[in-house]
Amino acid sequence: MKRHAGFSLVELMIVVTLLGVLLMVAAPFTAAWSDSAQVRDAEGLLNQGIGRAKAAALRNRHGMIDDQPSALLCLDGDKMLSLHEAAGTGSPASCDAPRQWSAQLPQRVAVQSGGSDFACLGFDARAMPIDLGGCADNQTLALSAGSEHVSVTFH
């Protein structure tokens, strides 16, 4: 009997089974890697936004004084991080003011401050964080996606 070149059905089934097992083992590692990358991206964007907000607050182009926010870093429901400055003399910064800068955070990343969802962070004319109603009032933000967690601390 003459043997033909090629693979038998049994050999192909063994290869497909082995590939399936390898994929099942590798999938959790891939998900963890993806979560880690998204959290690191969000951490970088938050640090960049905080730096820009502090610089804008120090410029204080509209002469804000005392506890009036000279710059505000806001995060909306679509995960858009944006920087807003005071709109004019006597008018403190608000999340409704025109954007000076913005960046899209990864959708899977949750940002929290003091156990609640992060909405905004205000800085006075000395670039110090100020307590505004509904905004972050501590200097640590918690980022998480899946099993990956990171804290961003600023001064």
Side-chain angles (χ1 to χ4, degrees):
M1 192 171 204
K2 188 174 179 182
R3 182 154 169 103
H4 295 284
F7 300 105
S8 71
L9 182 59
V10 171
E11 291 170 330
L12 285 175
M13 289 176 64
I14 290 172
V15 169
V16 169
T17 303
L18 287 175
L19 286 175
V21 168
L22 286 174
L23 283 174
M24 287 176 50
V25 169
F29 294 117
T30 304
W33 173 78
S34 175
D35 289 343
S36 176
Q38 288 183 2
V39 167
R40 300 292 178 225
D41 286 347
E43 179 184 19
L45 290 172
L46 270 173
N47 282 327
Q48 182 180 6
I50 290 168
R52 287 176 179 263
K54 285 182 173 185
L58 285 172
R59 276 194 305 271
N60 194 16
R61 296 184 308 149
H62 298 290
M64 295 293 107
I65 57 172
D66 299 327
D67 286 339
Q68 294 179 321
S70 180
L72 203 60
L73 191 63
C74 303
L75 182 65
D76 65 18
D78 295 329
K79 302 286 185 175
M80 182 63 73
L81 186 65
S82 56
L83 169 63
H84 305 271
E85 291 184 53
T89 305
S91 178
S94 75
C95 290
D96 297 327
R99 291 179 181 167
Q100 302 298 320
W101 171 85
S102 64
Q104 181 70 45
L105 294 182
Q107 291 296 322
R108 287 185 32 90
V109 176
V111 183
Q112 293 193 325
S113 172
S116 60
D117 289 342
F118 172 75
C120 58
L121 178 62
F123 293 96
D124 65 11
R126 296 175 298 144
M128 298 299 294
I130 56 176
D131 187 13
L132 300 170
C135 287
D137 58 356
N138 60 21
Q139 295 183 352
T140 301
L141 300 175
L143 305 170
S144 63
S147 63
E148 189 70 24
H149 304 281
V150 170
S151 293
V152 175
T153 303
F154 55 92
H155 307 292

